[in-house]
Amino acid sequence: MHFLSEELDNYVTLHSQDEPELLVQLNKETHQKILQPRMLSGHFQGRVLSMLSKIIHPTNILEVGTYTGYATLCLAEGLSENGTIDTLDNEEELFDFQRKYFDKTIWAKQITQHLGDAIDIIPTLTKKYDLVFIDADKENYINYFHLIVPIMNKGGIILSDNVLWSGKVLEEIKPNDITTKILLEYNQLLKDDPRVETVLLPIRDGLTLSRVL
């Protein structure tokens, strides 16, 4: 589902900040070599992530779901001087691809890759986070949220991607469609949970911004 016409979507992108050259290369190589390149945040959403990070100027960032590292580098653009990024992914075959691009940036030593299941890794983290980006397996979004809220600083921001799920959140749920069912529960949780205040932005496939109270 396209929430904007292709022409309007192109206009929005053309009138947003240009994609940095390294991310242009990462984007291109992802489409050439990696399965499911649609999972990449892409130019427009990447600039949104960059802008939000620059506004927040976080000390510690947590990313659940690295894929090829595009969003990681967008978020890094707003990182404080001595800040850190912990990025979690269970796809071993993407680890070196991610690292290749991380090592081309000034944030190379500030980005730590964690390989494995986020459900197991998050409880081992000892930092407090100012900014979190959740973009992994949707079936665990609720579990991730409950693990993440206690390790957030007050006023910290949790970003949740793909919450409109190609418009399926408006359709009748098929009996075997567990993912859409969980995303509907997740969206309602973010609306009702007294620990956060939330706004759902119709950016790309839906991006929820939740502020920890």
Side-chain angles (χ1 to χ4, degrees):
M1 171 180 282
H2 295 284
F3 300 106
L4 295 176
S5 67
E6 185 176 351
E7 293 82 3
L8 193 54
D9 190 66
N10 288 336
Y11 183 88
V12 168
T13 301
L14 286 170
H15 290 81
S16 298
Q17 182 191 35
D18 291 340
E19 196 177 21
E21 181 56 36
L22 181 64
L23 293 183
V24 172
Q25 296 172 21
L26 197 165
N27 195 335
K28 182 178 180 180
E29 188 171 1
T30 297
H31 279 79
Q32 289 174 337
K33 299 180 179 179
I34 309 297
L35 293 174
Q36 297 180 298
R38 185 177 181 273
M39 291 172 58
L40 186 138
S41 289
H43 179 177
F44 175 62
Q45 183 172 324
R47 292 304 86 205
V48 172
L49 295 177
S50 170
M51 183 68 76
L52 289 172
S53 186
K54 288 171 182 175
I55 292 169
I56 297 163
H57 197 48
T59 299
N60 293 318
I61 297 174
L62 172 62
E63 181 183 37
V64 183
T66 315
Y67 190 48
T68 56
Y70 188 101
T72 320
L73 295 180
C74 293
L75 295 169
E77 293 178 31
L79 195 62
S80 63
E81 184 177 355
N82 298 312
T84 67
I85 298 180
D86 291 291
T87 185
L88 286 53
D89 205 285
N90 62 3
E91 297 290 343
E92 186 174 359
E93 64 271 20
L94 294 178
F95 191 90
D96 291 340
F97 185 102
Q98 300 159 5
R99 192 74 250 171
K100 178 179 72 172
Y101 280 93
F102 296 162
D103 285 345
K104 293 180 179 182
T105 73
I106 60 173
W107 308 290
K109 294 181 179 179
Q110 295 167 269
I111 301 173
T112 300
Q113 295 161 279
H114 300 263
L115 184 61
D117 292 332
I119 288 290
D120 299 323
I121 296 171
I122 295 171
T124 71
L125 301 173
T126 57
K127 299 171 187 172
K128 286 282 191 176
Y129 293 94
D130 308 295
L131 177 59
V132 174
F133 182 44
I134 305 174
D135 186 16
D137 54 314
K138 314 311 167 193
E139 292 82 1
N140 272 310
Y141 266 33
I142 293 172
N143 295 327
Y144 295 149
F145 177 77
H146 287 307
L147 287 172
I148 286 167
V149 171
I151 59 173
M152 295 293 296
N153 283 317
K154 184 177 181 180
I157 299 297
I158 301 172
L159 302 172
S160 307
D161 200 15
N162 303 117
V163 292
L164 294 179
W165 206 229
S166 298
K168 291 181 182 178
V169 292
L170 295 179
E171 299 171 1
E172 183 178 349
I173 305 175
K174 298 177 182 178
N176 62 344
D177 188 355
I178 304 300
T179 303
T180 302
K181 181 177 182 295
I182 289 175
L183 280 174
L184 286 168
E185 293 176 8
Y186 182 70
N187 290 340
Q188 194 62 48
L189 170 64
L190 295 186
K191 173 67 165 59
D192 296 337
D193 195 302
R195 297 173 295 176
V196 297
E197 56 185 2
T198 290
V199 60
L200 198 165
L201 305 174
I203 292 172
R204 201 164 173 256
D205 195 24
L207 181 70
T208 299
L209 192 158
S210 303
R211 177 175 175 270
V212 178
L213 301 175

